[in-house]
């Protein structure tokens, strides 16, 4: 019961939500790390870069070293088709060196679509009366999770919350605990979500620490656009999201709060894609400089149509498919250790085109309507935007297998100490790939036995056998223990990992 | 568990052919704090997780290669510090 002396919960939530003092320590000489003028200067038309210099930059990336902004800008200036072909080849090689042929899958789970912000491009902006607003109850979250973990077979979710007092920290913590507690029988074993990643608005340090303590995987906050004038234009002043620097330094603060794995991202289509690429690279570099750990993942969603959202219908900075491919290639070279996420915003053809160039994670069976998994249809009036790929996880796994890729449901790293700086070291040296290879096979075996259709199982078996043979040849010391674990999985045990 | 007892424990474990990581436990996350930060890919083995208290755990690699006697010694070692901690094998 609220007494006259107590502030209503919503008012408490709003007051002091943005705390400039918490981000001040990350500024350098009072300035943030995005220097718009310096970035624009790097993007001004210039002569074709020297091929020898570009090849030296490619070689640096292939050594799994981060590129600086000048090096990244040089790549963006390349026009020569042959050099682009070399860059695509290098991106593919880096992907294979760090992540081999593994693709990690996940699903988004929107828990609320109520939001206090007014972002012009977003279907969930508060003024959009065409959207049916909803925040899932814990029972509803349990039901959604039972479908995702028990029928589809996902092990990893990204949960998404609107910025609103109804989806405050307490709600986030309870919803994440609820998801982790779900365990449902599957064909042979059981279904369970083993890693919950979070996409949520910036929050104060004390809330970040509480979110970290509940055991989240990756915490994502996308800057949307790094270009300050555009940021101001699409995020009205006076809204929480209107504060550029509060958002920009959220992941610095999250890492300092103990989060360890953070995901950066930009929404392509709001401004010049080349500027956003440099913004993302600047973000990764500043995290490395300030905290010593770069981003766990990089996301680069393209702006999509949304219900009753005219802003998205005539975009000046719309990114073509060819330019979008360049986004992926240059990011792969510039931040070679990071996971890269391509989502169901892209159609199946585009996803097939981008995956070999450096993407490491993708979603499937996705539904971004709040409560959407229970009816499995897209509802424009409940969701942030419309999806271009609505294939099931079973179909995507089969498609990946036809491309020679193994779908990994591995969530081991963060449950056995391979986190933060430790995982960065392992990724840069290629050692993490050895663990991942073993875990990919074990989790793929689980998934084929528990969830795959006959068709997908038939497509997946040859991929598995090829992987097992590679492990036998390349990791003879680990092979016996690996095979023991594999046999235990075949016999019905679950969740064994290296 | 305090820093001194953890440090003593790690010292005693150093005689066994296992790599040991100290981890902070947050829900499902076992986050690396110290020890073997760059686990060699040559030493890949199933991790054996021992929860020392609500927020602290040890991740031992090479557990499978220990003799039954060595495992019992380690179990006893951890049990002997029970005044300051308890431990539970997680996997």
């Amino acid at each position: 019961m609220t007494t006259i002396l107590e502030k209503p919960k919503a008012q408490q939530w709003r007051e002091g939500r943005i705390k400039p003092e918490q981000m001040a320590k990350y500024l350098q000489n009072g300035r943030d790390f995005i220097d718009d003028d310096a970035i624009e200067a790097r993007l001004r038309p210039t002569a074709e870069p020297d091929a020898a210099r570009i090849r030296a930059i490619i070689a640096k990336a292939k050594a799994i070293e981060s590129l600086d902004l000048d090096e990244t800008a040089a790549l963006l200036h390349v026009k020569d088709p042959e050099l682009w072909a070399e860059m695509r080849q290098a991106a593919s090689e880096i992907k294979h060196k760090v992540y081999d042929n593994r693709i990690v899958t996940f699903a988004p789970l929107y828990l609320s679509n109520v939001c206090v912000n007014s972002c012009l491009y977003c279907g969930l902006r508060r003024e959009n009366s065409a959207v049916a607003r909803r925040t899932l109850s814990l029972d509803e979250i349990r039901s959604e999770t039972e479908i995702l973990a028990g029928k589809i077979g996902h092990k990893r979710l990204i949960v998404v919350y609107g910025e609103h007092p109804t989806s405050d920290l307490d709600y986030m913590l309870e919803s994440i605990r609820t998801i982790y507690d779900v365990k449902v029988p599957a064909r042979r074993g059981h279904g369970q979500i083993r890693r919950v990643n979070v996409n949520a608005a910036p929050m104060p340090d004390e809330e970040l620490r509480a979110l970290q303590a509940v055991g989240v995987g990756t915490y994502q906050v996308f800057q949307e656009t790094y270009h300050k004038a555009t940021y101001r234009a699409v995020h009205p002043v006076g809204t929480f999201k209107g504060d550029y620097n509060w958002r920009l330094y959220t992941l610095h603060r999250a890492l300092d709060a103990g989060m360890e794995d953070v995901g950066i991202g930009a929404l392509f289509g709001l401004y010049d894609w080349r500027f956003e690429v440099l913004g993302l690279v600047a973000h990764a570099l500043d995290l490395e400089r300030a905290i010593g750990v770069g981003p766990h993942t990089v996301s680069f969603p393209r702006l999509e149509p949304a219900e009753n959202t005219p802003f998205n219908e005539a975009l000046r900075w719309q990114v073509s498919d060819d330019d979008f491919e360049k986004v992926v290639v240059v990011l792969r070279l510039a931040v070679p250790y990071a996971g890269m996420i391509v989502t169901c915003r892209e159609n199946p053809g585009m996803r097939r085109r981008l995956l070999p160039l450096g993407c490491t994670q993708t979603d499937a069976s996705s539904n971004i309507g709040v409560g959407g998994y229970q009816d499995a249809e897209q509802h424009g009036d409940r969701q942030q935007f419309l999806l271009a790929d609505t294939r099931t996880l079973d179909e995507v796994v089969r498609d990946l297998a036809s491309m020679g890729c193994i779908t990994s449901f591995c969530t081991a790293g963060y449950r056995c100490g391979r986190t933060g700086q430790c995982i960065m070291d392992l990724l840069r040296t290629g050692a993490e790939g050895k663990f991942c290879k073993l875990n990919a096979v074990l989790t793929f075996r689980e998934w084929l036995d528990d969830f795959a259709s006959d068709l997908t199982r038939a497509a997946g078996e040859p991929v598995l056998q090829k992987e097992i043979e590679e492990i036998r040849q390349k990791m003879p010391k680990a092979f016996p223990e690996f095979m023991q674990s594999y046999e235990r999985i075949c016999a019905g045990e679950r969740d064994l990992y290296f | 568990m305090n820093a001194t007892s953890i440090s003593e424990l790690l010292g005693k474990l150093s005689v066994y052919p296992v790599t040991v990581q100290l981890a902070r436990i947050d829900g499902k996350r076992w986050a690396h704090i110290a020890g073997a930060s760059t686990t060699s890919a040559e030493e890949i083995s199933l991790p054996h997780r021992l929860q020392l208290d609500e927020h602290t755990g040890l991740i031992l690699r090479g557990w499978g290669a220990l003799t039954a006697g060595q495992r019992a010694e380690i179990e006893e070692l951890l049990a002997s510090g029970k005044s300051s901690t308890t431990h539970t094998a997680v996997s």
Side-chain angles (χ1 to χ4, degrees), chain A residues 1-9:
Chain A
M1 184 178 169
T2 303
T3 70
I4 199 164
L5 295 174
E6 287 175 336
K7 292 175 184 168
K9 196 178 175 194

Side-chain angles (χ1 to χ4, degrees), chain A residues 180 194 212-213 215-217 258 260-261 414-419 422 425-426 434 438 475 477 481 485 497-498, chain B residues 21 23-24 26-32 36-47 49 59 61 64 91:
Chain A
Y180 274 137
R194 298 173 183 162
Q212 168 260 323
V216 298
E260 295 195 301
D261 296 332
Y414 95 118
R415 293 187 290 157
C416 57
R418 296 199 299 278
T419 59
C422 178
D425 292 343
L426 290 166
K434 303 259 174 51
L438 306 179
M475 303 164 70
K477 200 172 165 188
E481 193 172 1
S485 304
Y497 53 86
F498 284 84
Chain B
Q21 284 184 340
R24 186 191 69 237
D26 301 308
K28 284 191 186 293
R29 174 180 284 271
W30 284 50
H32 176 261
S37 66
T38 50
T39 306
S40 164
E42 301 307 313
E43 295 166 9
I44 289 178
S45 62
L46 289 174
R49 301 190 305 173
I59 301 158
R61 289 182 182 274
S91 62

Side-chain angles (χ1 to χ4, degrees), chain A residues 187-206:
Chain A
R187 199 156 53 209
R188 297 204 57 203
H190 62 267
Q192 193 166 28
I193 297 302
R194 298 173 183 162
R195 179 170 178 137
V196 177
N197 299 329
V198 172
N199 183 308
M203 56 191 86
D205 291 357
E206 53 276 20

Side-chain angles (χ1 to χ4, degrees), chain A residues 95 103 342 351-359 362 400 403:
Chain A
K95 196 269 175 183
I103 302 292
V342 59
R351 297 219 291 178
R352 281 188 206 104
R353 183 173 163 186
L354 298 177
L355 282 166
L357 295 175
C359 297
T362 195
L400 291 171
M403 296 164 67

Side-chain angles (χ1 to χ4, degrees), chain A residues 11-87:
Chain A
Q11 190 182 341
Q12 283 178 27
W13 179 85
R14 285 172 190 278
E15 286 179 2
R17 189 137 196 88
I18 294 179
K19 299 183 173 176
E21 69 278 10
Q22 292 186 350
M23 60 184 169
K25 68 178 176 183
Y26 302 108
L27 300 172
Q28 291 186 290
N29 301 318
R31 297 173 66 93
D32 64 63
F33 59 83
I34 297 293
D35 183 338
D36 290 65
D37 292 342
I39 291 179
E40 295 283 15
R42 286 185 176 95
L43 293 175
R44 270 184 214 119
T46 172
E48 177 81 10
D50 176 53
R53 179 171 182 235
I54 295 300
R55 291 193 176 109
I57 295 169
I58 292 172
K60 182 179 177 186
K62 284 168 75 171
I64 320 299
E65 288 184 45
S66 306
L67 302 184
D68 65 26
L69 290 183
D70 288 331
E71 291 164 335
T72 308
L75 298 181
L76 292 170
H77 281 298
V78 170
K79 303 261 187 316
D80 178 359
E82 283 186 24
L83 275 181
W84 268 109
E86 288 180 38
M87 287 160 59

